């Protein structure tokens, strides 16, 4: 089975050019202007200026030897009001990017929604947002479907819904648990409609942030139900898990419509959840295990969790294919990032173990290609294979990027000896 090595980014985190070409405002353009919302006081107005520097970035991907690149489209760049009027210049940008990738022999994986909802639509859960998403999916399918085969509807609906509508730390900055459940529900309904609106030949998946949950028994079950089963059951057509519907009581949404079958499930993995009992609405809270190795984000490094979650999804949900759609680490700035080299090797070994035990994992995307605008942390968190100097916007490949490139190269040689790639 062929295996793709890639890297991932998201529009708001890299593009900049926030009002360059007739783009409409997104909820993130508004949120970053709320005093105190971003720790560093920055905005993503410029970010990596990828909108203008994309040829250099595609050249970097080619230099690393990437097989695939996962990026997202900014919905308000192509539909400034979320529906209706199309911004031809915005669409043309994605045309150029896709053509540039294909010329460099890099397979595009296109994410429709990586958190930058058109501001005009308000928030997920508001009337009409799911139909607007289907219209947007159809537009992109018609425009890019001849060249883009692989599509991801949503990125991490759990984070978008709960960080944005319950914890208030992401756009749109709301703090209302029942509303967050409705937001997640409307994303899942929108996902179903978007799958139907995309070309029937497309390979379509969704990227879920998943983690093994351990600790106090009830807390671990609730955390697993909230984070993993809620979304996996939903996109697999099983409806919402009954125990969680009971736990949420009146706030639980109506039953879901039938769900379209997917080509793959994307797994974004960063850390496991070690939890203990806590009050409602969640019933659990996360704790840091003693002796944990932590990253700049305060996230525990735990590669076995990636193997375990891949095997579990394969066993319990039998997806046609799995991709690791994100995995990576924030470290202090510097070009010699041996810790990132070790992190990537350990997690790629975990993927190998999962594959050897039968999980149909077909690719792995490092988060991320370039240091970028890490949401509420601004540019302070550096996840890149490539370092970005945010004063000059100069890009420099880190030792981890070189290492990843050598791994891809070594696989190519091994593959060609066996007569396939
Ligand atoms: C994920 C997001 C991605 C990035 C990484 C660090 O939750 O999908 O955009 O912020 O975390």
């Amino acid at each position: 089975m062929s295996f793709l090595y890639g890297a991932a980014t998201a529009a708001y985190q890299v593009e900049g050019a926030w009002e360059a070409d007739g783009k409409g405002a997104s909820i993130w353009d508004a949120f970053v202007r709320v005093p105190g919302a971003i720790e560093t006081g920055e905005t993503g107005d410029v970010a990596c200026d990828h909108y203008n520097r994309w040829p250099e970035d595609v050249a970097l991907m080619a230099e690393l030897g990437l097989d695939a690149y996962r990026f997202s489209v900014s919905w308000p760049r192509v539909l400034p009001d979320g529906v209706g009027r199309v911004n031809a210049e915005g669409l043309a940008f994605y045309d150029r990017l896709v053509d540039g990738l294909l010329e460099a022999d890099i397979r595009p994986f296109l994410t429709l929604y990586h958190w930058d909802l058109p501001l005009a639509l308000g928030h997920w859960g508001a009337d009409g947002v799911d139909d607007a998403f289907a219209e947007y999916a159809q537009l992109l399918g018609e425009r890019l479907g001849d060249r883009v085969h692989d599509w991801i509807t949503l990125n991490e609906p759990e984070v978008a819904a709960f960080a944005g509508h319950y914890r208030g730390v992401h756009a749109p900055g709301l703090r209302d648990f029942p509303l967050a459940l409705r937001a997640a529900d409307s994303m899942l309904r929108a996902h179903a409609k978007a799958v139907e609106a995309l070309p029937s030949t497309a390979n379509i998946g969704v990227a879920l942030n998943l983690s093994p949950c351990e600790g106090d028994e009830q807390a671990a079950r609730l955390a697993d139900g909230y984070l993993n089963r809620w979304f996996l059951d939903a996109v697999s057509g099983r409806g919402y898990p009954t125990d969680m519907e009971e736990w949420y009581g009146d706030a639980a949404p109506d039953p879901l419509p039938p769900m379209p079958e997917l080509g793959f499930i994307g797994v974004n993995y960063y850390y496991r959840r070690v939890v203990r009992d806590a009050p409602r609405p969640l019933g659990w809270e996360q704790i840091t295990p003693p002796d944990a190795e932590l990253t700049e984000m305060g996230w525990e490094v735990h590669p076995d969790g990636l193997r375990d979650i891949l095997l579990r999804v394969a066993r319990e949900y039998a997806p046609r294919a799995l991709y690791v759609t994100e995995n990576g680490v924030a470290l202090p700035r510097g070009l010699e990032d041996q810790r990132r080299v070790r992190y990537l090797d350990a997690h790629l070994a975990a993927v190998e173990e999962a594959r050897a035990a039968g999980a149909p994992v077909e690719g792995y995307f490092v988060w991320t290609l370039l240091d970028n605008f890490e949401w509420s942390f601004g540019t302070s968190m550096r996840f890149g294979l490539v370092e970005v100097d945010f004063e000059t916007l100069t890009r420099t490949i880190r030792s981890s990027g070189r290492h990843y490139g050598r791994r891809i190269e070594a696989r190519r040689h091994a593959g060609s000896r066996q007569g396939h790639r």
Side-chain angles (χ1 to χ4, degrees):
M1 204 202 328
S2 68
F3 186 87
L4 300 176
Y5 288 90
T9 64
Y12 188 73
Q13 296 182 271
V14 298
E15 282 181 4
W18 74 294
E19 50 181 8
D21 59 358
K23 173 182 165 299
S26 80
I27 57 173
W28 271 92
D29 292 317
F31 185 65
V32 294
R33 290 178 164 71
V34 174
I38 308 303
E39 274 190 11
T40 56
E42 295 165 286
T43 70
D45 293 1
V46 177
C48 305
D49 193 32
H50 171 74
Y51 182 84
N52 294 305
R53 292 167 201 249
W54 68 267
E56 183 184 350
D57 294 337
V58 172
L60 283 166
M61 295 176 217
E63 195 174 336
L64 296 177
L66 301 189
D67 301 316
Y69 173 54
R70 175 179 171 226
F71 66 98
S72 80
V73 169
S74 160
W75 182 355
R77 194 181 290 289
V78 299
L79 287 163
D81 309 311
V83 277
R85 188 169 56 91
V86 174
N87 179 27
E89 246 193 274
L91 260 183
F93 166 68
Y94 296 106
D95 252 335
R96 292 194 294 276
L97 175 62
V98 166
D99 288 344
L101 290 167
L102 294 175
E103 270 162 38
D105 202 16
I106 297 166
R107 182 161 147 187
F109 276 63
L110 188 157
T111 306
L112 288 170
Y113 188 70
H114 202 129
W115 306 353
D116 44 358
L117 187 76
L119 187 61
L121 295 177
H123 59 85
W124 286 100
D127 280 350
V129 181
D130 50 352
D131 286 326
F133 188 64
E135 182 180 323
Y136 161 57
Q138 180 165 352
L139 171 72
L140 287 191
E142 283 167 1
R143 181 67 178 246
L144 301 173
D146 57 335
R147 285 154 293 153
V148 175
H149 179 56
D150 307 284
W151 298 75
I152 291 166
T153 55
L154 305 171
N155 180 69
E156 300 188 353
E158 182 273 325
V159 176
F162 292 91
H165 305 74
Y166 170 53
R167 292 194 288 120
V169 296
H170 279 186
L174 305 173
R175 292 169 195 266
D176 175 339
F177 191 80
L179 175 65
L181 269 176
R182 283 205 299 284
D185 182 65
S186 91
M187 278 185 241
L188 290 163
R189 288 168 201 270
H191 155 83
K193 291 183 181 182
V195 175
E196 301 297 351
L198 285 170
S200 57
T201 49
N203 181 37
I204 309 170
V206 61
L208 302 178
N209 53 307
L210 303 175
S211 298
C213 300
E214 305 163 23
D216 291 349
E217 196 181 322
Q218 155 144 312
R221 180 181 62 79
L222 289 171
D224 181 56
Y226 160 90
L227 182 72
N228 301 320
R229 289 184 289 122
W230 191 259
F231 294 93
L232 284 165
D233 282 18
V235 301
S236 308
R238 298 183 188 171
Y240 291 125
T242 326
D243 63 322
M244 294 308 296
E245 285 180 322
E246 278 163 19
W247 173 259
Y248 294 141
D250 289 346
D254 290 340
L256 286 167
M259 285 281 157
E261 234 193 281
L262 294 177
F264 63 94
I265 289 181
V267 176
N268 291 3
Y269 175 77
Y270 290 94
Y271 51 88
R272 68 174 160 170
R273 309 271 174 139
V274 182
V275 297
R276 66 175 174 215
D277 295 330
R280 282 180 178 274
L282 292 177
W284 58 274
E285 67 186 4
Q286 199 171 323
I287 55 174
T288 304
D291 306 327
E293 180 194 344
L294 301 180
T295 73
E296 289 295 284
M297 295 289 283
W299 296 347
E300 185 195 8
V301 177
H302 188 68
D304 285 354
L306 177 56
R307 176 199 60 210
D308 295 349
I309 198 74
L310 289 169
L311 282 170
R312 185 223 179 155
V313 177
R315 194 174 56 239
E316 292 182 19
Y317 296 90
R320 282 196 204 148
L322 286 163
Y323 284 94
V324 177
T325 33
E326 285 181 29
N327 174 242
V329 57
L331 295 175
R333 185 173 179 182
L335 294 174
E336 291 303 319
D337 54 344
Q338 285 312 304
R339 268 187 78 192
R340 185 172 283 107
V341 169
R342 287 200 298 279
Y343 181 99
L344 295 177
D345 280 349
H347 286 80
L348 282 163
V351 172
E352 273 317 308
E353 285 171 31
R355 293 179 84 205
V361 192
E362 297 192 358
Y364 172 91
F365 292 82
V366 176
W367 185 269
T368 178
L369 179 70
L370 304 167
D371 287 345
N372 60 40
F373 185 82
E374 176 50 38
W375 308 114
S376 49
F377 299 94
T379 58
S380 66
M381 290 295 161
R382 293 178 176 270
F383 278 92
L385 294 173
V386 175
E387 179 158 301
V388 175
D389 178 331
F390 288 100
E391 297 284 304
T392 60
L393 296 171
T394 310
R395 283 94 157 118
T396 313
I397 298 179
R398 292 198 164 105
S399 53
S400 60
R402 303 261 172 230
H403 177 78
Y404 194 54
R406 280 193 299 274
R407 283 195 63 137
I408 301 172
E409 182 67 19
R411 181 284 319 261
R412 285 215 168 107
H413 287 143
S416 59
R417 275 203 303 277
Q418 294 159 20
H420 60 79
R421 205 180 110 177

